[in-house]
Amino acid sequence: MGQGERGSLGDNKKDKWPIFKKKEDSPEPAESSRCCGCRFPLLVAVLQLLLGLSTAVVGFLTLATSSSLTARETPYWVGLILCFTSMVGFVLYCITYLPEERTTKQFIVKLLYFVLCAIGLVLSVLVIAFTGHHYAQASSFHCRQADEADCMCTLDPEDPIARTFTYQGVDDCQVITGTLPMYFLIQMVLNLLQAVVCVAGTFVLWKHRYQVFFSGLQIAVPAAQQWQKA
């Protein structure tokens, strides 16, 4: 048998048996088999966890300076909310990805994460505003020791009717005029970074949900390919 005949038989064999087809002709794996982590940025959840822990620690340190500080002056609770948001982001990372929220669990987790990121953004902006006000106020304080564990501060010591701020549980007024403004400044920086990360998280979910949409029903195509992404 000649070489030309063997070549023609080999070609016919490849045409009859699909096993001899090239690997590049095989269909790509379905999109539903991809993991959600391939699309969701894990870095956002990690940054939220780190910033949330840092904000909570600084908030508790601020609260330890005086028992007279209010909740808006010690925003540790914002850090705890960001930590919970990051946990939801890790859960979203572990869920097997299915396109267009075909499972209720995936839709609920994505919606919860989106809402928490939006809430975290609003709270971070509010904390920046409040801590900025308290930072400017504490930097202008003139304090004196009233009792052994109380510190009385005012903005203008020469004004007899000026408002007086009393901080209980403070042995040294230097804590109010030096350490407390430093904590407020750190809180502003951390919450600014938190706001940026929350914006990134909401943008990622919004982009995946609304910038990839379907153009309509196709005619004369298999049912699995009825929709086409625009």
Side-chain angles (χ1 to χ4, degrees):
M1 185 179 293
Q3 184 176 1
E5 294 178 355
R6 287 198 301 269
S8 61
L9 289 177
D11 295 340
N12 294 333
K13 193 174 182 180
K14 290 180 181 179
D15 295 337
K16 291 181 180 180
W17 301 99
I19 192 174
F20 291 99
K21 290 185 178 181
K22 296 181 180 179
K23 294 182 179 180
E24 58 194 24
D25 297 334
S26 59
E28 296 181 355
E31 189 177 9
S32 60
S33 63
R34 297 180 183 177
C35 63
C36 185
C38 302
R39 294 173 174 266
F40 181 78
L42 183 61
L43 181 62
V44 174
V46 173
L47 288 177
Q48 284 178 337
L49 179 60
L50 295 178
L51 292 173
L53 289 176
S54 301
T55 302
V57 170
V58 176
F60 284 119
L61 291 176
T62 308
L63 183 61
T65 58
S66 175
S67 58
S68 302
L69 296 176
T70 60
R72 66 182 184 182
E73 294 174 306
T74 57
Y76 59 89
W77 42 275
V78 178
L80 298 179
I81 293 175
L82 261 293
C83 290
F84 177 72
T85 304
S86 67
M87 295 296 105
V88 178
F90 288 127
V91 172
L92 183 61
Y93 174 80
C94 297
I95 294 178
T96 302
Y97 175 76
L98 292 175
E100 299 305 314
E101 295 84 25
R102 293 178 183 175
T103 62
T104 305
K105 180 173 64 174
Q106 180 182 341
F107 174 76
I108 292 176
V109 174
K110 289 181 69 173
L111 179 61
L112 178 61
Y113 185 76
F114 182 85
V115 172
L116 288 175
C117 284
I119 293 175
L121 172 61
V122 175
L123 292 179
S124 297
V125 173
L126 291 177
V127 169
I128 292 173
F130 282 123
T131 53
H133 168 71
H134 292 305
Y135 171 77
Q137 191 178 59
S139 300
S140 304
F141 273 161
H142 298 274
C143 302
R144 61 183 177 85
Q145 200 73 32
D147 297 328
E148 294 182 357
D150 291 338
C151 184
M152 297 182 64
C153 301
T154 182
L155 294 175
D156 188 2
E158 298 180 357
D159 188 358
I161 61 173
R163 182 181 176 184
T164 301
F165 301 87
T166 302
Y167 294 93
Q168 300 176 353
V170 180
D171 298 330
D172 186 5
C173 290
Q174 183 63 29
V175 175
I176 303 301
T177 58
T179 306
L180 192 59
M182 181 187 66
Y183 286 155
F184 288 149
L185 183 60
I186 295 175
Q187 285 286 2
M188 283 191 292
V189 175
L190 290 176
N191 281 273
L192 178 61
L193 296 176
Q194 284 182 171
V196 173
V197 174
C198 287
V199 168
T202 53
F203 176 74
V204 166
L205 294 182
W206 173 84
K207 180 179 180 181
H208 177 261
R209 182 65 184 88
Y210 292 104
Q211 286 194 353
V212 180
F213 56 91
F214 291 93
S215 60
L217 186 66
Q218 293 183 352
I219 302 176
V221 293
Q225 301 178 353
Q226 285 183 346
W227 300 96
Q228 180 181 10
K229 289 185 178 180

